[in-house]
Amino acid sequence: MSVGGSGEAHAAIPQSKLIAFGIIGGLVGIYGAHFLGNIAGGVFSFMGALGAICAAIWGAGAVRRVASYGLGTGVPSIGMLALGMGVVAAMFGLAIGKGFEIAIIGPVIALVVASIIGLLIGIFANKVLKMNIPVMEQSMTEIAAAGTILIIGLSVAMTGSLMFNVVLEEVITTGYIAVIFIAGGMALLHPFNANLGADEKQDRTLYTALEKGSIAMILSGIVALSTQGASVGVVTILIGIFLWYFGFTGFYARVKRDAFKVVGTGLLPSEEELE
Amino acid sequence: MIDIAGLLADNIMYMLLITLGGVLVSVSVHFVPVGGAPAAMAQATGIGTGTVQLAAGAGLTGLVTAGAMMGVTDNIGLVLASGAVGAMIMISVTMLVGQWVYIYGVGCPPASAKVKYDPITKDRQDLYVSQGTEGHAIPTVSFISGVIGAGLGGLGGGLVYYALLMMGEVAAGLTVKDIMSTTGHELVGLASIFAVGIFFMNAVIPSYNIGGTIEGFHDPKFKRWPRAALTSFIVTLLCAVLAVITLGGM
């Protein structure tokens, strides 16, 4: 259970497994989309979005862990902070990849830089702002890194490439980065924000993260329709819809499990029935 | 290859401007009467939403107005003034409409629970605070504090954006005015998203510092601002280094 301000949240899946899942899944997805980009006209770019979903689940787990101590302000703030750190680190990583003419080091550099920014904010939050949350340093590092993988993953799903020039031209200049910013931030902050309370369970929160990540995937598919062509976009959208359905039914099954009772209220009574 | 040391040495002035802008945003949030969820139920003084939403609303308006001015002139003073005024208008409208809702909708008088007399109008406050609440609506002092805060925030946001574009200007070989008037120039997008990222970080740091709610400069929590400023200084400086390498190496 986890109420805001109640201390360490109970976790069925240890955070270390979520970290491994997020980093490995995220990088495999991003690199898979990049290297398989030339095969079959780039239909494999959906793998970038799968990597982003892995990062979203990891990030939502980290948000849950830190926010259950009570941040003093709304949970959404931490999602926006994550994407703020993430976007700076992601652009830096990809630009370094271009500058040194080895595009594939971009995501790894971005991940390292995001972790440094996150760790710095975590240390300052505890030592200077006196928030006194024991897991602050670790969680901030994780959240920043997850935000970075989310941004790169969704960008790769939209463009099918890790090249800074391509991402700059097709994601940043067109303004689709704003979609990534909000949809990705939502996938990080919304799961715990929606589920927090006395009956919060880790698996229900993580299923919400999967569902929100899938919505971001569908959106990136819609963008891919115009940037990469109809076949690529449709594949991403269809896989996204399937994952959304899986995530939503999983979430709803856990709502029914955790709730005392789920009853239908029926339609609103008509005027005659009220009299 | 990128000459990292050379880039940093060339752009040290802009890095400092970005850092200054980030610190200004961080300090500005302490002026804005953020009420959070309690204020949304008229149980605390301030605007009924979180820091990030308010800072984003006002600050991003500031970025837009600063950007619009950049397309017309290269004068940094006019650009920053435009950013500050845009953010001030945005927050004033938000507070004014919120005030209508509190007064005519909820039916409560604006009152602060943190001070006995309003420091500006000298009106008595404690008599009007409903029992069990921490004040309600937006008293004059909070309104004025909010306008000052938005001005500083817009100034800071505009400064970050301007410095980012000036750095890219060297790399692209164009003036800021030319870049802004070219439709779809990639530098504009990159500088904007960097400015937004830096802005969000510096809006969240003070919100953790004040614990989610503050009434304005008369609130005792306002004295905590140096802590947020120090945190923002270090974090923004790091981001400025990253920004120089990203934009300068384009």
Side-chain angles (χ1 to χ4, degrees):
Chain A
M1 92 163 211
S2 174
V3 192
S6 69
E8 171 93 57
H10 172 75
I13 308 169
Q15 191 65 23
S16 53
K17 282 196 181 156
L18 284 179
I19 297 175
F21 176 72
I23 295 182
I24 297 172
L27 289 181
V28 166
I30 290 168
Y31 284 123
H34 179 69
F35 286 117
L36 302 176
N38 299 325
I39 300 170
V43 286
F44 284 101
S45 61
F46 73 85
M47 286 183 71
L50 292 185
I53 291 179
C54 294
I57 293 174
W58 166 33
V63 167
R64 167 183 187 273
R65 195 154 167 249
V66 66
S68 61
Y69 283 93
L71 295 169
T73 178
V75 181
S77 66
I78 210 160
M80 289 294 117
L81 179 60
L83 272 279
M85 298 187 280
V87 78
V88 171
M91 290 311 123
F92 173 75
L94 295 186
I96 283 288
K98 182 203 167 215
F100 289 100
E101 283 155 13
I102 328 168
I104 53 165
I105 59 166
V108 178
I109 301 262
L111 197 63
V112 172
V113 169
S115 307
I116 295 172
I117 305 180
L119 182 65
L120 202 63
I121 292 191
I123 291 173
F124 272 87
N126 262 354
K127 297 285 185 295
V128 180
L129 305 182
K130 308 267 183 226
M131 288 180 78
N132 295 325
I133 296 178
V135 295
M136 194 71 183
E137 290 90 349
Q138 193 199 334
S139 295
M140 268 303 172
T141 313
E142 290 178 34
I143 291 165
T148 306
I149 297 186
L150 246 170
I151 290 171
I152 299 182
L154 291 176
S155 306
V156 173
M158 286 177 181
T159 61
S161 168
L162 269 179
M163 304 300 290
F164 184 56
N165 291 348
V166 180
V167 172
L168 190 61
E169 208 170 289
E170 293 183 353
V171 178
I172 312 271
T173 310
T174 50
Y176 292 134
I177 188 78
V179 178
I180 294 181
F181 208 100
I182 298 303
M186 208 55 97
L188 282 183
L189 68 91
H190 183 68
F192 186 70
N193 205 32
N195 286 308
L196 66 86
D199 61 347
E200 196 268 348
K201 292 263 183 1
Q202 190 194 29
D203 56 350
R204 179 153 52 96
T205 301
L206 297 186
Y207 265 95
T208 318
L210 171 61
E211 188 238 324
K212 285 290 160 297
S214 317
I215 293 177
M217 182 173 187
I218 296 170
L219 288 173
S220 69
I222 295 172
V223 173
L225 283 178
S226 69
T227 56
Q228 292 197 78
S231 58
V232 181
V234 168
V235 170
T236 311
I237 292 173
L238 287 179
I239 297 175
I241 290 174
F242 170 75
L243 282 174
W244 179 84
Y245 180 77
F246 179 69
F248 189 78
T249 48
F251 165 70
Y252 188 55
R254 277 153 189 82
V255 168
K256 283 198 282 195
R257 180 198 67 192
D258 296 337
F260 171 68
K261 200 171 188 183
V262 176
V263 290
T265 56
L267 297 171
L268 284 173
S270 66
E271 225 168 287
E272 294 90 50
E273 281 170 329
L274 282 174
E275 277 166 9
Chain B
M1 285 291 281
I2 308 176
D3 174 18
I4 292 177
L7 270 178
L8 293 181
D10 289 347
N11 290 303
I12 192 114
M13 228 273 281
Y14 298 127
M15 278 166 55
L16 290 177
L17 282 182
I18 294 174
T19 315
L20 176 66
V23 173
L24 271 177
V25 172
S26 181
V27 172
S28 78
V29 172
H30 293 76
F31 283 92
V32 178
V34 187
M41 299 180 282
Q43 291 181 355
T45 310
I47 314 168
T49 185
T51 327
V52 184
Q53 285 79 358
L54 282 173
L60 298 185
T61 316
L63 284 187
V64 171
T65 49
M69 188 57 99
M70 278 180 215
V72 186
T73 171
D74 282 339
N75 187 329
I76 184 170
L78 282 175
V79 169
L80 296 184
S82 175
V85 170
M88 285 158 87
I89 292 174
M90 186 70 203
I91 203 116
S92 304
V93 172
T94 312
M95 288 193 290
L96 190 64
V97 175
Q99 191 81 304
W100 291 342
V101 173
Y102 287 122
I103 293 174
Y104 299 111
V106 185
C108 56
S112 161
K114 297 280 166 68
V115 285
K116 195 168 177 187
Y117 294 95
D118 186 319
I120 291 174
T121 60
K122 308 291 179 210
D123 290 334
R124 188 81 183 260
Q125 299 292 309
D126 54 341
L127 295 177
Y128 299 96
V129 176
S130 311
Q131 274 188 2
T133 69
E134 301 274 323
H136 23 66
I138 301 146
T140 311
V141 63
S142 293
F143 196 100
I144 291 175
S145 180
V147 175
I148 297 172
L152 288 177
L155 196 68
L159 202 56
V160 172
Y161 192 31
Y162 187 78
L164 285 168
L165 277 173
M166 287 299 280
M167 274 178 350
E169 176 190 285
V170 183
L174 287 167
T175 66
V176 168
K177 197 178 156 192
D178 290 340
I179 292 170
M180 293 303 287
S181 42
T182 314
T183 311
H185 196 288
E186 53 199 20
L187 197 58
V188 178
L190 193 60
S192 324
I193 200 67
F194 253 94
V196 170
I198 292 175
F199 197 91
F200 269 122
M201 274 188 258
N202 286 308
V204 176
I205 288 168
S207 109
Y208 290 160
N209 191 32
I210 58 178
T213 60
I214 191 164
E215 281 189 12
F217 57 70
H218 58 293
D219 192 303
K221 284 187 200 166
F222 182 74
K223 294 193 187 72
R224 292 171 62 100
W225 72 266
R227 296 179 184 180
L230 173 67
T231 310
S232 290
F233 178 80
I234 304 287
V235 173
T236 317
L237 190 61
L238 178 60
C239 289
V241 173
L242 301 179
V244 168
I245 298 169
T246 312
L247 283 144
M250 263 175 64

